[in-house]
Amino acid sequence: MTEIERINRYIERTKVKESVKNEMKPSEWVSISKNGSVLDAIALAFNYGRAKGYRAAMSERKAVRG
């Protein structure tokens, strides 16, 4: 299994409620794509996604605790 296959499998196996999914807006894609090199853009997109996921998890945790 290639690394890409493992990544795709990981994503597929991660159960996320439809209401929680946060997709990037087209304006965000355009802004990130204009961020210097391709590697810089990929790193920025990854970090942005990680931050959005973290905030979503904290928000869900807060909702559960009341």
Side-chain angles (χ1 to χ4, degrees):
M1 180 179 290
T2 68
E3 191 66 25
I4 295 299
E5 290 170 334
R6 279 194 286 274
I7 291 168
N8 283 323
R9 184 173 177 225
Y10 181 86
I11 292 167
E12 290 169 5
R13 294 178 74 186
T14 302
K15 304 297 181 200
V16 179
K17 297 177 192 173
E18 286 296 320
S19 63
V20 176
K21 287 186 179 177
N22 292 313
E23 296 179 354
M24 290 180 64
K25 300 172 191 164
S27 61
E28 294 169 331
W29 279 108
V30 170
S31 295
I32 287 174
S33 70
K34 293 179 180 179
N35 184 53
S37 74
V38 172
L39 293 177
D40 287 340
I42 291 169
L44 181 60
F46 177 83
N47 289 332
Y48 183 58
R50 182 174 48 181
K52 287 184 85 165
Y54 179 81
R55 286 184 180 208
M58 291 296 108
S59 178
E60 187 172 322
R61 183 178 179 192
K62 185 177 180 182
V64 169
R65 289 188 175 189

